[in-house]
Amino acid sequence: MQGLNYKSSLFECLYKKDTQCVFISHKKEDSAAAKKIADYLMNAGVNVYFDEYDDTLDLTDPYSVVRGIKNGLNHSTHLLVLLSPEALKSKWIPWEVGYAYDLKTIISLTLKTIAEWELPEYLKITKIIKGTTSLNQFLSELIGCTEPFLIKESRLISAIKSHPLDDILVWNK
């Protein structure tokens, strides 16, 4: 089953108690990587809130951004923080983490471009995912799969073939 993007997933998460929805927190400069992650999660059957899929947001209006973030977080079960050197400069990511801290499961996903020692203290207490293997393990737990998750596309995944996130995540961590 294909996961849903913002418009459908928030509605479904609102009315179905057992529906998982992952809010993707990222810095604008990491949007391409965030989109790959969002698409990967949706291909796994996971619903996401990803700001680029939210056409109600007016990024020039801070009130619109705050409303969109609150709405997305209020209807999500998880907050996935994409970490990169750019993300460390974000003003929105710490705000999103603070808003969600006591209400959501927070997971940090390190992109290839950041070392663990660079992580901010407030994120070191979250579950940290470092690569494709740990991301697939997280997805298995999220969707309640007893076997390790592998995206179901015929061209993917074996030890020889490449993973669709190889360019942004460390392989096999």
Side-chain angles (χ1 to χ4, degrees):
M1 180 174 144
Q2 179 79 15
L4 304 171
N5 67 27
Y6 167 76
K7 290 212 177 290
S8 303
S9 65
L10 289 185
F11 178 79
E12 185 170 315
C13 292
L14 181 62
Y15 293 103
K16 292 185 179 178
K17 296 283 186 213
D18 60 345
T19 301
Q20 305 291 334
C21 186
V22 176
F23 182 104
I24 300 178
S25 177
H26 67 287
K27 182 82 163 117
K28 183 175 175 79
E29 289 82 355
D30 296 322
S31 289
K35 184 176 182 332
K36 282 186 174 189
I37 298 292
D39 291 345
Y40 188 76
L41 294 179
M42 288 189 304
N43 284 333
V46 175
N47 299 327
V48 301
Y49 173 88
F50 178 51
D51 62 354
E52 289 191 13
Y53 297 153
D54 183 353
D55 61 6
T56 67
L57 282 182
D58 176 1
L59 297 178
T60 64
D61 177 9
Y63 295 104
S64 173
V65 173
V66 168
R67 277 191 308 275
I69 290 170
K70 284 182 170 183
N71 190 34
L73 284 170
N74 288 338
H75 296 99
S76 295
T77 55
H78 295 73
L79 171 65
L80 180 67
V81 182
L82 297 189
L83 293 171
S84 70
E86 290 301 318
L88 299 179
K89 303 172 194 169
S90 174
K91 295 176 183 166
W92 286 111
I93 291 174
W95 190 91
E96 292 165 352
V97 170
Y99 185 83
Y101 189 78
D102 288 327
L103 307 171
K104 309 295 171 192
T105 301
I106 301 174
I107 302 100
S108 298
L109 175 61
T110 60
L111 299 181
K112 272 186 175 181
T113 55
I114 193 163
E116 192 167 342
W117 64 265
E118 295 178 277
L119 301 182
E121 295 296 323
Y122 72 96
L123 289 175
K124 287 183 180 178
I125 61 171
T126 67
K127 176 180 178 113
I128 298 176
I129 297 175
K130 300 177 187 175
T132 55
T133 301
S134 57
L135 176 61
N136 287 341
Q137 174 72 36
F138 164 70
L139 286 173
S140 293
E141 294 165 8
L142 187 66
I143 61 178
C145 184
T146 56
E147 309 234 347
F149 172 78
L150 296 175
I151 192 167
K152 297 171 183 82
E153 291 185 26
S154 60
R155 68 184 198 289
L156 304 173
I157 294 178
S158 73
I160 300 168
K161 295 180 182 179
S162 67
H163 190 282
L165 302 176
D166 278 349
D167 59 330
I168 59 173
L169 298 180
V170 176
W171 181 77
N172 206 18
K173 283 221 174 212

